[in-house]
Amino acid sequence: MIIDLRSDTVTKPCPQMLDAMMQARVGDDVFGEDPMVKQLEQRIATMFGKEKALFFPSGTMANQTAIKLHTIPGEQVICDKFAHIYNYESGGASFNSGVSCKLIDGNKGMFTAEQVLESINPPDYWYAKTSLVEIENTTNKGGGSCWDFNEILKIRKVCVNHELGFHLDGARIWNAIVAKNETTKQYGEVFDTISVCLSKGLGCPVGSVLVGDGAIMKNAIRIRKIFGGNMRQAGYLAAAALYALDNNIERLAEDHKKAKEIGETLAKLSIIRTIEPIETNIVIFELNTDINEIGFVKKLANKNIQIIGMGGRKLRMVTHMDYNNEMHERLMQVLKETKFD
Ligand SMILES: *Cc1c(COP(=O)(O)O)cnc(C)c1O
């Protein structure tokens, strides 16, 4: 039994999802003829109360398309220093859109409306023009933290007053919605564009979706094509997504519960220095300075438990639908019984 806690992207489609994929009626989506893709896009647009949704092969491409839709080269995007678009998209914002990022020194990947206000460049022509604010919910590098929706509303006001676009990287928005008892509609109301991921907590093999209203999404399909993201019989993937939307959202609460229990067990170990508060399915922790992380990760790997480092001294465990009760009990047992120092 291999216990893989490196990411929630490691899940494999369950037999029922595979069955839904096998039953899919597909067509060439480049000709707009794939009924499953159309159904998925319509469904997600409706969920968020937006006019248009577009299916993408990755969350990175959905975010990069959003940045392109909101900006022209030379402009500036405001985001947190932990932002995925800044850290983990291969410099794509500058490569694809020719924009720079103004980084906010936030708290666990989150910041305040006041910090946004302070980060907007003055209108003088020698500054880069600020044109977009981007936030992430839940925050990845911030340890799966959820935003306070009231702060999001305040940032929305700043965006409206300063004519800035507002994009949500909602790779794990499903986790936030389940953890905070929120709705997709309330997110649709405040953001201009939202990217959501189907291949993380929801357990699909591939896929993300970008949603927005007609005006902003007008060129999205052309940009997706420029990025090479058009797909043909993508309905097999859309069928997996439709299955996941029906079956795999509410169960995220189970992943959150397990992550909290892992945190409680870690907290009792003398080798642990700090654990970030656990709100969803990500556990980020630091070992005491006299404990070598590589040795710790190796000791777990020897027991068939895989985790990864986050840079600095931080280590990460992520729970997901393929991390079952049996694996959970085994992990607890290994954490309690292994001598790590
Ligand atoms: C995973 C992730 C993405 C998109 O990743 P892909 O691997 O390209 O699908 C975007 N933003 C955040 C916060 C993520 O965690």
Side-chain angles (χ1 to χ4, degrees):
M1 180 169 72
I2 302 227
I3 302 175
D4 193 346
L5 293 164
R6 289 171 303 163
S7 176
D8 44 8
T9 54
V10 300
T11 55
K12 292 178 187 149
C14 64
Q16 296 88 328
M17 182 181 278
L18 285 172
D19 202 42
M21 294 169 78
M22 292 295 281
Q23 307 295 327
R25 284 184 307 115
V26 298
D28 188 335
D29 186 52
V30 177
F31 289 124
E33 289 172 2
D34 191 296
M36 301 308 280
V37 171
K38 281 209 166 82
Q39 199 183 321
L40 173 66
E41 290 174 344
Q42 191 51 60
R43 170 121 178 234
I44 297 223
T46 305
M47 280 175 91
F48 285 88
K50 292 293 199 194
E51 289 165 4
K52 276 208 68 126
L54 197 63
F55 190 42
F56 281 81
S58 73
T60 298
M61 197 189 284
N63 281 336
Q64 290 298 318
T65 297
I67 294 169
K68 190 77 190 154
L69 290 172
H70 284 284
T71 62
I72 59 170
E75 291 184 344
Q76 198 161 70
V77 178
I78 294 173
C79 64
D80 190 87
K81 65 178 190 295
F82 279 0
H84 193 278
I85 59 160
Y86 176 71
N87 291 286
Y88 303 127
E89 299 190 3
S90 315
S94 56
F95 189 100
N96 296 316
S97 298
V99 296
S100 54
C101 294
K102 172 84 70 92
L103 300 181
I104 294 183
D105 185 15
N107 174 23
K108 292 179 287 171
M110 300 174 290
F111 44 79
T112 64
E114 221 152 76
Q115 286 176 296
V116 173
L117 253 183
E118 289 163 4
S119 304
I120 299 171
N121 283 337
D124 309 84
Y125 69 81
W126 48 85
Y127 288 100
K129 184 172 186 288
T130 306
S131 49
L132 174 65
V133 176
E134 189 267 1
I135 76 164
E136 211 171 287
N137 203 16
T138 68
T139 65
N140 179 342
K141 210 172 154 66
S145 300
C146 303
W147 280 74
D148 170 3
F149 200 81
N150 285 321
E151 202 60 47
I152 294 179
L153 289 173
K154 285 185 198 158
I155 295 175
R156 169 73 193 174
K157 258 199 198 131
V158 172
C159 290
V160 170
N161 290 343
H162 291 80
E163 295 180 358
L164 308 175
F166 197 18
H167 174 67
L168 171 64
D169 177 349
R172 293 192 181 81
I173 191 63
W174 317 112
N175 296 85
I177 281 171
V178 167
K180 305 264 286 186
N181 215 358
E182 296 167 335
T183 65
T184 42
K185 285 256 162 54
Q186 77 189 83
Y187 281 91
E189 276 166 19
V190 295
F191 288 95
D192 299 310
T193 49
I194 302 174
S195 64
V196 302
C197 191
L198 302 155
S199 63
K200 288 194 169 141
L202 297 199
C204 294
V206 174
S208 281
V209 171
L210 182 67
V211 287
D213 280 333
I216 185 82
M217 290 293 283
K218 188 163 157 273
N219 277 322
I221 196 163
R222 184 183 295 275
I223 291 164
R224 186 183 67 176
K225 172 69 173 160
I226 291 169
F227 289 166
N230 56 318
M231 296 184 284
R232 301 291 179 173
Q233 285 72 30
Y236 293 112
L237 302 173
L242 287 163
Y243 175 87
L245 293 175
D246 283 334
N247 296 284
N248 293 348
I249 296 181
E250 267 118 66
R251 64 150 305 287
L252 290 169
E254 181 58 32
D255 299 344
H256 300 169
K257 181 166 161 273
K258 287 196 176 92
K260 279 206 178 81
E261 288 167 1
I262 292 173
E264 284 160 15
T265 301
L266 283 173
K268 289 186 198 135
L269 303 183
S270 59
I271 57 161
I272 302 288
R273 184 160 164 248
T274 53
I275 305 179
E276 314 242 315
I278 297 161
E279 288 186 72
T280 55
N281 67 327
I282 302 179
V283 182
I284 292 183
F285 58 99
E286 246 178 88
L287 301 175
N288 281 331
T289 43
D290 57 330
I291 305 288
N292 177 278
E293 305 81 276
I294 296 169
F296 177 82
V297 171
K298 263 209 189 118
K299 267 192 189 160
L300 287 179
N302 287 341
K303 311 224 165 194
N304 287 332
I305 297 166
Q306 303 178 330
I307 72 165
I308 53 169
M310 287 291 281
R313 294 187 46 84
K314 289 187 172 159
L315 296 171
R316 186 179 90 163
M317 296 184 187
V318 186
T319 58
H320 51 75
M321 59 186 301
D322 287 359
Y323 172 67
N324 60 31
N325 291 338
E326 193 191 342
M327 295 172 180
H328 190 50
E329 274 168 37
R330 168 84 185 136
L331 174 75
M332 298 301 192
Q333 188 193 359
V334 168
L335 288 178
K336 283 177 195 154
E337 290 175 0
T338 307
K339 234 182 111 37
F340 290 107
D341 48 1

PDB file of all heavy atoms in Angstrom, residues 192-215:
ATOM      1  N   ASP A 192     -14.765  38.776 -12.016  1.00  0.00           N
ATOM      2  CA  ASP A 192     -14.982  38.892 -13.461  1.00  0.00           C
ATOM      3  C   ASP A 192     -14.702  37.560 -14.134  1.00  0.00           C
ATOM      4  O   ASP A 192     -15.393  37.173 -15.073  1.00  0.00           O
ATOM      5  CB  ASP A 192     -14.071  39.969 -14.047  1.00  0.00           C
ATOM      6  CG  ASP A 192     -14.353  41.327 -13.445  1.00  0.00           C
ATOM      7  OD1 ASP A 192     -15.542  41.715 -13.407  1.00  0.00           O
ATOM      8  OD2 ASP A 192     -13.405  41.983 -12.982  1.00  0.00           O
ATOM      9  N   THR A 193     -13.648  36.896 -13.682  1.00  0.00           N
ATOM     10  CA  THR A 193     -13.311  35.574 -14.221  1.00  0.00           C
ATOM     11  C   THR A 193     -12.893  34.664 -13.069  1.00  0.00           C
ATOM     12  O   THR A 193     -12.326  35.123 -12.072  1.00  0.00           O
ATOM     13  CB  THR A 193     -12.145  35.654 -15.237  1.00  0.00           C
ATOM     14  OG1 THR A 193     -11.081  36.415 -14.670  1.00  0.00           O
ATOM     15  CG2 THR A 193     -12.572  36.280 -16.548  1.00  0.00           C
ATOM     16  N   ILE A 194     -13.204  33.378 -13.228  1.00  0.00           N
ATOM     17  CA  ILE A 194     -12.837  32.376 -12.220  1.00  0.00           C
ATOM     18  C   ILE A 194     -12.330  31.138 -12.950  1.00  0.00           C
ATOM     19  O   ILE A 194     -12.969  30.661 -13.895  1.00  0.00           O
ATOM     20  CB  ILE A 194     -14.065  31.968 -11.353  1.00  0.00           C
ATOM     21  CG1 ILE A 194     -14.676  33.194 -10.663  1.00  0.00           C
ATOM     22  CG2 ILE A 194     -13.687  30.889 -10.344  1.00  0.00           C
ATOM     23  CD1 ILE A 194     -15.977  32.903  -9.907  1.00  0.00           C
ATOM     24  N   SER A 195     -11.173  30.626 -12.518  1.00  0.00           N
ATOM     25  CA  SER A 195     -10.735  29.327 -13.034  1.00  0.00           C
ATOM     26  C   SER A 195     -10.989  28.293 -11.948  1.00  0.00           C
ATOM     27  O   SER A 195     -10.754  28.556 -10.765  1.00  0.00           O
ATOM     28  CB  SER A 195      -9.249  29.354 -13.404  1.00  0.00           C
ATOM     29  OG  SER A 195      -8.456  29.574 -12.261  1.00  0.00           O
ATOM     30  N   VAL A 196     -11.534  27.151 -12.333  1.00  0.00           N
ATOM     31  CA  VAL A 196     -11.769  26.074 -11.372  1.00  0.00           C
ATOM     32  C   VAL A 196     -11.120  24.799 -11.901  1.00  0.00           C
ATOM     33  O   VAL A 196     -11.023  24.600 -13.105  1.00  0.00           O
ATOM     34  CB  VAL A 196     -13.275  25.820 -11.120  1.00  0.00           C
ATOM     35  CG1 VAL A 196     -13.944  27.083 -10.606  1.00  0.00           C
ATOM     36  CG2 VAL A 196     -13.989  25.306 -12.362  1.00  0.00           C
ATOM     37  N   CYS A 197     -10.653  23.990 -10.959  1.00  0.00           N
ATOM     38  CA  CYS A 197      -9.902  22.800 -11.339  1.00  0.00           C
ATOM     39  C   CYS A 197     -10.739  21.542 -11.062  1.00  0.00           C
ATOM     40  O   CYS A 197     -11.394  21.444 -10.038  1.00  0.00           O
ATOM     41  CB  CYS A 197      -8.626  22.765 -10.525  1.00  0.00           C
ATOM     42  SG  CYS A 197      -7.491  21.532 -11.119  1.00  0.00           S
ATOM     43  N   LEU A 198     -10.701  20.622 -11.997  1.00  0.00           N
ATOM     44  CA  LEU A 198     -11.456  19.377 -11.835  1.00  0.00           C
ATOM     45  C   LEU A 198     -10.546  18.206 -11.496  1.00  0.00           C
ATOM     46  O   LEU A 198     -11.021  17.155 -11.076  1.00  0.00           O
ATOM     47  CB  LEU A 198     -12.233  19.099 -13.122  1.00  0.00           C
ATOM     48  CG  LEU A 198     -13.192  20.242 -13.486  1.00  0.00           C
ATOM     49  CD1 LEU A 198     -13.475  20.281 -14.971  1.00  0.00           C
ATOM     50  CD2 LEU A 198     -14.471  20.139 -12.683  1.00  0.00           C
ATOM     51  N   SER A 199      -9.250  18.401 -11.687  1.00  0.00           N
ATOM     52  CA  SER A 199      -8.316  17.274 -11.526  1.00  0.00           C
ATOM     53  C   SER A 199      -7.590  17.293 -10.191  1.00  0.00           C
ATOM     54  O   SER A 199      -6.606  16.607  -9.993  1.00  0.00           O
ATOM     55  CB  SER A 199      -7.311  17.270 -12.672  1.00  0.00           C
ATOM     56  OG  SER A 199      -6.542  18.448 -12.640  1.00  0.00           O
ATOM     57  N   LYS A 200      -8.088  18.087  -9.250  1.00  0.00           N
ATOM     58  CA  LYS A 200      -7.516  18.047  -7.899  1.00  0.00           C
ATOM     59  C   LYS A 200      -8.494  17.308  -6.997  1.00  0.00           C
ATOM     60  O   LYS A 200      -8.722  16.134  -7.198  1.00  0.00           O
ATOM     61  CB  LYS A 200      -7.210  19.454  -7.432  1.00  0.00           C
ATOM     62  CG  LYS A 200      -6.015  19.983  -8.195  1.00  0.00           C
ATOM     63  CD  LYS A 200      -5.407  21.214  -7.621  1.00  0.00           C
ATOM     64  CE  LYS A 200      -4.085  21.464  -8.306  1.00  0.00           C
ATOM     65  NZ  LYS A 200      -3.860  22.875  -8.562  1.00  0.00           N
ATOM     66  N   GLY A 201      -9.078  18.034  -6.035  1.00  0.00           N
ATOM     67  CA  GLY A 201      -9.966  17.381  -5.085  1.00  0.00           C
ATOM     68  C   GLY A 201     -11.117  16.618  -5.721  1.00  0.00           C
ATOM     69  O   GLY A 201     -11.631  15.665  -5.145  1.00  0.00           O
ATOM     70  N   LEU A 202     -11.535  17.023  -6.910  1.00  0.00           N
ATOM     71  CA  LEU A 202     -12.706  16.374  -7.514  1.00  0.00           C
ATOM     72  C   LEU A 202     -12.353  15.063  -8.222  1.00  0.00           C
ATOM     73  O   LEU A 202     -13.237  14.332  -8.666  1.00  0.00           O
ATOM     74  CB  LEU A 202     -13.438  17.316  -8.474  1.00  0.00           C
ATOM     75  CG  LEU A 202     -14.042  18.583  -7.864  1.00  0.00           C
ATOM     76  CD1 LEU A 202     -15.102  19.170  -8.788  1.00  0.00           C
ATOM     77  CD2 LEU A 202     -14.647  18.338  -6.491  1.00  0.00           C
ATOM     78  N   GLY A 203     -11.070  14.787  -8.372  1.00  0.00           N
ATOM     79  CA  GLY A 203     -10.671  13.449  -8.797  1.00  0.00           C
ATOM     80  C   GLY A 203     -10.709  13.145 -10.284  1.00  0.00           C
ATOM     81  O   GLY A 203     -10.604  11.984 -10.680  1.00  0.00           O
ATOM     82  N   CYS A 204     -10.840  14.157 -11.140  1.00  0.00           N
ATOM     83  CA  CYS A 204     -10.814  13.898 -12.589  1.00  0.00           C
ATOM     84  C   CYS A 204      -9.371  13.716 -13.067  1.00  0.00           C
ATOM     85  O   CYS A 204      -8.442  14.219 -12.450  1.00  0.00           O
ATOM     86  CB  CYS A 204     -11.422  15.075 -13.353  1.00  0.00           C
ATOM     87  SG  CYS A 204     -13.162  15.284 -13.037  1.00  0.00           S
ATOM     88  N   PRO A 205      -9.202  13.035 -14.193  1.00  0.00           N
ATOM     89  CA  PRO A 205      -7.840  12.870 -14.707  1.00  0.00           C
ATOM     90  C   PRO A 205      -7.254  14.164 -15.276  1.00  0.00           C
ATOM     91  O   PRO A 205      -6.051  14.393 -15.181  1.00  0.00           O
ATOM     92  CB  PRO A 205      -7.991  11.813 -15.811  1.00  0.00           C
ATOM     93  CG  PRO A 205      -9.433  11.808 -16.185  1.00  0.00           C
ATOM     94  CD  PRO A 205     -10.199  12.272 -14.975  1.00  0.00           C
ATOM     95  N   VAL A 206      -8.086  14.997 -15.877  1.00  0.00           N
ATOM     96  CA  VAL A 206      -7.628  16.199 -16.589  1.00  0.00           C
ATOM     97  C   VAL A 206      -8.736  17.239 -16.554  1.00  0.00           C
ATOM     98  O   VAL A 206      -9.907  16.877 -16.616  1.00  0.00           O
ATOM     99  CB  VAL A 206      -7.373  15.879 -18.091  1.00  0.00           C
ATOM    100  CG1 VAL A 206      -7.049  17.161 -18.871  1.00  0.00           C
ATOM    101  CG2 VAL A 206      -6.258  14.860 -18.277  1.00  0.00           C
ATOM    102  N   GLY A 207      -8.370  18.513 -16.495  1.00  0.00           N
ATOM    103  CA  GLY A 207      -9.361  19.532 -16.821  1.00  0.00           C
ATOM    104  C   GLY A 207      -9.543  20.661 -15.837  1.00  0.00           C
ATOM    105  O   GLY A 207      -9.523  20.475 -14.620  1.00  0.00           O
ATOM    106  N   SER A 208      -9.693  21.851 -16.389  1.00  0.00           N
ATOM    107  CA  SER A 208     -10.064  23.044 -15.645  1.00  0.00           C
ATOM    108  C   SER A 208     -11.067  23.813 -16.494  1.00  0.00           C
ATOM    109  O   SER A 208     -11.173  23.568 -17.702  1.00  0.00           O
ATOM    110  CB  SER A 208      -8.844  23.935 -15.398  1.00  0.00           C
ATOM    111  OG  SER A 208      -8.080  23.432 -14.321  1.00  0.00           O
ATOM    112  N   VAL A 209     -11.775  24.739 -15.876  1.00  0.00           N
ATOM    113  CA  VAL A 209     -12.752  25.537 -16.616  1.00  0.00           C
ATOM    114  C   VAL A 209     -12.564  26.995 -16.223  1.00  0.00           C
ATOM    115  O   VAL A 209     -12.312  27.302 -15.056  1.00  0.00           O
ATOM    116  CB  VAL A 209     -14.194  25.060 -16.311  1.00  0.00           C
ATOM    117  CG1 VAL A 209     -15.226  26.016 -16.899  1.00  0.00           C
ATOM    118  CG2 VAL A 209     -14.415  23.652 -16.833  1.00  0.00           C
ATOM    119  N   LEU A 210     -12.657  27.885 -17.201  1.00  0.00           N
ATOM    120  CA  LEU A 210     -12.639  29.323 -16.941  1.00  0.00           C
ATOM    121  C   LEU A 210     -14.047  29.863 -17.188  1.00  0.00           C
ATOM    122  O   LEU A 210     -14.644  29.573 -18.229  1.00  0.00           O
ATOM    123  CB  LEU A 210     -11.641  30.015 -17.884  1.00  0.00           C
ATOM    124  CG  LEU A 210     -11.479  31.532 -17.705  1.00  0.00           C
ATOM    125  CD1 LEU A 210     -10.822  31.877 -16.369  1.00  0.00           C
ATOM    126  CD2 LEU A 210     -10.642  32.123 -18.855  1.00  0.00           C
ATOM    127  N   VAL A 211     -14.580  30.621 -16.211  1.00  0.00           N
ATOM    128  CA  VAL A 211     -15.916  31.207 -16.376  1.00  0.00           C
ATOM    129  C   VAL A 211     -15.854  32.728 -16.306  1.00  0.00           C
ATOM    130  O   VAL A 211     -15.004  33.295 -15.613  1.00  0.00           O
ATOM    131  CB  VAL A 211     -16.939  30.740 -15.306  1.00  0.00           C
ATOM    132  CG1 VAL A 211     -17.374  29.320 -15.531  1.00  0.00           C
ATOM    133  CG2 VAL A 211     -16.416  30.925 -13.900  1.00  0.00           C
ATOM    134  N   GLY A 212     -16.776  33.356 -16.994  1.00  0.00           N
ATOM    135  CA  GLY A 212     -16.883  34.813 -16.970  1.00  0.00           C
ATOM    136  C   GLY A 212     -18.071  35.226 -17.818  1.00  0.00           C
ATOM    137  O   GLY A 212     -18.697  34.380 -18.467  1.00  0.00           O
ATOM    138  N   ASP A 213     -18.362  36.528 -17.818  1.00  0.00           N
ATOM    139  CA  ASP A 213     -19.462  36.981 -18.658  1.00  0.00           C
ATOM    140  C   ASP A 213     -19.013  37.133 -20.109  1.00  0.00           C
ATOM    141  O   ASP A 213     -17.827  37.088 -20.412  1.00  0.00           O
ATOM    142  CB  ASP A 213     -20.054  38.283 -18.099  1.00  0.00           C
ATOM    143  CG  ASP A 213     -20.997  37.985 -16.934  1.00  0.00           C
ATOM    144  OD1 ASP A 213     -21.566  36.869 -16.912  1.00  0.00           O
ATOM    145  OD2 ASP A 213     -21.134  38.845 -16.061  1.00  0.00           O
ATOM    146  N   GLY A 214     -19.989  37.321 -21.004  1.00  0.00           N
ATOM    147  CA  GLY A 214     -19.742  37.318 -22.446  1.00  0.00           C
ATOM    148  C   GLY A 214     -18.667  38.285 -22.904  1.00  0.00           C
ATOM    149  O   GLY A 214     -17.791  37.920 -23.697  1.00  0.00           O
ATOM    150  N   ALA A 215     -18.684  39.507 -22.386  1.00  0.00           N
ATOM    151  CA  ALA A 215     -17.766  40.529 -22.894  1.00  0.00           C
ATOM    152  C   ALA A 215     -16.317  40.134 -22.630  1.00  0.00           C
ATOM    153  O   ALA A 215     -15.488  40.144 -23.545  1.00  0.00           O
ATOM    154  CB  ALA A 215     -18.089  41.873 -22.251  1.00  0.00           C
TER     155      ALA A 215
END
